[in-house]
Amino acid sequence: MAVKFPSKGRTALVALLLKTKGGQSAVARQLSDLGAKVTQPSVGAWASGDARPEPVLREVLEKVYGIPAHDWTTRDERRLLDRVASKTEAA
């Protein structure tokens, strides 16, 4: 089955989970302790690529774990942003 949301953010999260004692549950707990409403199934969905964190949680993940918020953007989304930027800069 194909990953719905392939991204550098997903890859970085998977790497983080592999070296984090307690894995998905530990990450969810740490984020929840900071005030973010995150569950283990949510972290699991992000890691599998079935879902992505909401934009504010991407910022939280950047601050807590160093995963850049923009790394959750897919390749297709990045291409669109680059196309728009090149056309607006040329105008």
Side-chain angles (χ1 to χ4, degrees), residues 31 34 56-69:
L31 295 175
L34 292 170
V56 68
L57 292 176
R58 295 174 198 181
E59 297 290 333
V60 170
L61 288 164
E62 182 169 2
K63 290 185 184 332
V64 176
Y65 298 112
I67 301 172

Side-chain angles (χ1 to χ4, degrees), residues 33-46:
D33 288 349
L34 292 170
K37 293 183 179 169
V38 177
T39 63
Q40 178 276 320
S42 294
V43 176
W46 303 340

Side-chain angles (χ1 to χ4, degrees), residues 68-82:
H70 62 83
D71 277 0
W72 292 95
T73 305
T74 66
R75 186 177 313 154
D76 290 340
E77 291 168 336
R78 176 61 41 212
R79 284 184 189 135
L80 172 62
L81 292 169
D82 290 345

Side-chain angles (χ1 to χ4, degrees), residues 12-35:
L13 177 63
V14 169
L16 170 76
L17 292 171
L18 290 173
K19 62 183 180 179
T20 300
K21 184 176 180 176
Q24 296 173 5
S25 295
V27 168
R29 191 175 317 107
Q30 184 176 14
L31 295 175
S32 292
D33 288 349
L34 292 170

Side-chain angles (χ1 to χ4, degrees), residues 83-91:
R83 243 189 340 268
V84 169
S86 70
K87 290 185 183 211
T88 57
E89 289 170 3

